[in-house]
């Protein structure tokens, strides 16, 4: 069953805080939900479906439904694919709406990693026997000291080896994000940086420098996805879902190519359902946990050939008003916000802003009528879930 045109994102809200010592994770979820519902012109009583992932506290969806006082929920989904969960949830919400399971779906994300809150994701370590009841791969990987930074660094190093990609080319991704973040009053990092500043920042995991890495922030965000009937009743710009795709990429017993992501499967599925091509996209929200994440996903989504990502992102090609493919015009995870280390929901939020014409005037893409949001959740170099969503502004 296709979801093309069968659901609309009618509410979007990004929590303004980046450091929340005085708020609980549940409070951030609820405040984000309130903001998205008000943006759509709806209330908590209108919600009949709720979506969350592993960042939700307590008993996940059930705890948050109780905390927010949602009385009419008849559909729940707590699918967990890391930072890509919320893009995937948009597709799942559309499927539920198309199947008649709900009319108004609320999706929330929140967390407090800067203030001692749990950082979602596998954290199990092998015990004395070498066994673990957490991530089944932990006993084979953690003994080598793997971390987020060095598993992404491996991908970057392999890409450089295979295709001649350079640190300077990766740096252009951070430069583009910083050019956009300067106009975002809530951005965690607002200073514009140069290629030289990126490559001269301290090394974190060769070849990734400090400025190749995303920020760590508290905060949250929420989306409201509705049926076409509900969308038509609301006095808000309509952002229609055109196509979605999702896919896992796993270790496959060690038979792993580090130079590609799950976008090679999720992207084509989304483009096929939407009936468009990468050349049609006016704006791209691309998950940017690290600069290498962006480069590989752009290749895998078809914006350039495999191995040509370095040339594609260089010389300002991702900067709004300058380049051919404006990306992450809010500053992205590299500069603006990466709440609880999960940036998928912010990718949809900024895509919605662009399609509504509500992005900052300095970064608003002219005549933006088609946008993509893509996310990778997990680890690019180990295992992850990929999710792609294509949206269209409805006149």
């Amino acid at each position: 069953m296709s979801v093309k045109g069968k659901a609309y994102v009618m509410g979007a809200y990004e929590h303004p805080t980046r450091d929340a010592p005085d708020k609980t994770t549940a409070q951030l979820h609820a405040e984000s939900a309130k903001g998205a519902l008000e943006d759509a012109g709806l209330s908590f009583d209108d919600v009949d479906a709720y979506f969350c992932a592993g960042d939700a506290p307590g008993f996940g969806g059930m705890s948050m439904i109780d905390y927010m006082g949602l009385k009419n929920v008849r559909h729940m989904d707590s699918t967990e694919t890391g930072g890509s969960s919320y893009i995937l949830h948009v597709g799942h919400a559309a499927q539920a709406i198309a199947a008649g399971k709900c009319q108004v779906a609320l999706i929330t994300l929140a967390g407090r990693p800067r203030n001692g809150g749990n950082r979602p994701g596998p954290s199990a370590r092998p015990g004395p026997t070498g066994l673990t009841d957490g991530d089944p791969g932990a006993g084979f990987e953690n003994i080598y000291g793997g971390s987020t930074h060095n598993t992404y660094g491996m991908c970057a190093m392999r890409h450089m080896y295979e295709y001649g990609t350079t640190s300077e080319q990766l740096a252009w991704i951070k430069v583009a994000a910083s050019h956009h973040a300067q106009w975002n009053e809530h951005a965690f990092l607002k200073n514009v940086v140069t290629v030289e500043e990126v490559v001269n920042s301290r090394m974190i995991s060769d070849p990734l420098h400090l400025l190749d890495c995303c920020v760590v922030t508290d905060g949250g965000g929420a989306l409201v996805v509705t049926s076409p009937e509900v969308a038509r009743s609301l006095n808000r710009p309509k952002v229609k879902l055109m196509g979605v795709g999702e896919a896992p990429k796993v270790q496959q017993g060690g038979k792993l190519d580090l130079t590609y992501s799950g976008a090679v499967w999720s992207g084509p599925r989304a483009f096929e359902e939407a009936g468009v091509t990468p050349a049609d996209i006016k704006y791209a929200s691309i998950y940017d946990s690290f600069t290498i994440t962006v480069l590989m996903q752009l290749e895998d989504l078809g914006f350039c050939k495999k191995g040509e990502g370095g040339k594609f992102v260089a010389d300002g090609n991702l900067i709004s008003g300058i380049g051919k493919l404006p990306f992450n015009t809010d500053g992205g995870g590299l500069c603006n916000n990466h709440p609880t280390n999960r940036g998928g929901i912010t990718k949809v939020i900024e895509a919605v802003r662009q399609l509504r014409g509500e992005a900052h005037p300095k970064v608003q893409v002219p005549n933006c009528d088609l946008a993509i949001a893509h996310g990778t959740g997990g680890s690019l170099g180990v295992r992850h879930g990929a999710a792609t969503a294509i949206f269209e502004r409805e006149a």
Side-chain angles (χ1 to χ4, degrees), residues 135-154:
D135 182 350
F140 300 94
E141 297 163 6
N142 292 347
I143 56 175
Y144 298 105
S147 71
T148 303
H149 304 83
N150 60 36
T151 56
Y152 279 74
M154 287 193 302

Side-chain angles (χ1 to χ4, degrees), residues 1-10 48-51 75 77 85-107 223-229 239-246 273 388-391:
M1 176 179 62
S2 174
V3 299
K4 183 177 181 179
K6 294 180 180 177
Y8 291 74
V9 179
M10 296 303 295
D48 60 357
Y50 179 65
F51 294 73
H75 185 81
D77 189 331
S85 300
Y86 322 92
I87 299 174
L88 182 144
H89 285 161
V90 171
H92 285 196
Q95 291 167 3
I97 289 169
K101 300 295 184 181
C102 58
Q103 292 284 312
V104 177
L106 173 65
I107 305 167
L223 299 164
V224 178
V225 182
T226 78
S227 67
E229 294 77 17
V239 175
K240 180 166 56 177
L241 183 62
M242 297 295 289
V244 294
E246 59 186 75
E273 185 170 40
T388 311
I390 297 172
F391 304 95

Side-chain angles (χ1 to χ4, degrees), residues 61-373:
M62 287 188 286
S63 293
M64 287 311 307
I65 287 168
D66 189 21
Y67 183 88
M68 293 189 290
L70 302 178
K71 302 179 180 66
N72 301 308
V73 171
R74 55 194 178 106
H75 185 81
M76 297 184 296
D77 189 331
S78 56
T79 302
E80 173 62 85
T81 60
S84 62
S85 300
Y86 322 92
I87 299 174
L88 182 144
H89 285 161
V90 171
H92 285 196
Q95 291 167 3
I97 289 169
K101 300 295 184 181
C102 58
Q103 292 284 312
V104 177
L106 173 65
I107 305 167
T108 68
L109 153 80
R112 303 172 58 251
R114 296 188 65 82
N115 285 280
N118 290 334
R119 298 189 178 195
S123 58
R125 293 292 183 268
T129 63
L131 301 177
T132 175
D133 287 328
D135 182 350
F140 300 94
E141 297 163 6
N142 292 347
I143 56 175
Y144 298 105
S147 71
T148 303
H149 304 83
N150 60 36
T151 56
Y152 279 74
M154 287 193 302
C155 294
M157 187 65 79
R158 189 66 192 182
H159 203 281
M160 290 178 170
Y161 175 80
E162 293 283 354
Y163 302 113
T165 307
T166 67
S167 290
E168 288 76 13
Q169 290 171 333
L170 289 177
W172 271 107
I173 298 169
K174 177 74 169 194
V175 170
S178 73
H179 273 266
H180 299 150
Q182 67 176 314
W183 307 111
N184 183 349
E185 63 176 320
H186 300 302
F188 191 80
L189 301 177
K190 297 185 180 69
N191 294 335
V192 175
V193 298
T194 65
V195 169
E196 290 73 22
E197 287 172 326
V198 177
V199 298
N200 289 327
S201 62
R202 65 184 174 91
M203 188 66 74
I204 298 299
S205 182
D206 194 16
L208 298 177
H209 302 82
L210 177 65
L211 295 184
D212 285 298
C213 308
C214 67
V215 299
V216 176
T217 60
D218 299 342
L223 299 164
V224 178
V225 182
T226 78
S227 67
E229 294 77 17
V230 172
R232 285 192 289 268
S233 73
L234 302 173
N235 187 27
R236 293 292 289 140
K238 295 173 180 56
V239 175
K240 180 166 56 177
L241 183 62
M242 297 295 289
V244 294
E246 59 186 75
K249 184 188 177 189
V250 296
Q251 284 256 13
Q252 297 176 334
K255 298 176 181 178
L256 184 66
D257 183 341
L258 293 173
T259 65
Y260 73 91
S261 72
V264 297
W265 300 298
S266 66
R269 291 165 186 165
F271 281 113
E272 181 180 8
E273 185 170 40
V276 300
T277 70
D280 298 314
I281 299 295
K282 301 289 183 60
Y283 165 77
S285 277
I286 305 295
Y287 204 106
D288 54 344
S289 49
F290 298 87
T291 51
I292 185 60
T293 320
V294 177
L295 187 145
M296 285 173 52
Q297 290 170 122
L298 288 172
E299 292 177 341
D300 297 339
L301 289 168
F303 289 104
C304 60
K305 293 180 179 179
K306 176 56 66 177
E308 296 183 2
K311 295 178 182 179
F312 184 82
V313 302
D315 301 321
N317 197 43
L318 301 180
I319 301 175
S320 185
I322 297 175
K324 294 180 180 178
L325 184 68
F327 105 117
N328 296 10
T329 46
D330 59 342
L334 288 168
C335 295
N336 169 37
N337 190 18
H338 194 216
T340 194
N341 307 318
R342 294 173 165 233
I345 205 163
T346 58
K347 299 299 170 272
V348 180
I349 291 169
E350 185 66 5
V352 169
R353 291 191 191 114
Q354 281 287 349
L355 291 168
R356 288 176 170 179
E358 296 175 353
H360 192 284
K362 293 288 187 178
V363 298
Q364 177 65 53
V365 176
N367 304 313
C368 186
D369 58 358
L370 199 64
I372 188 171

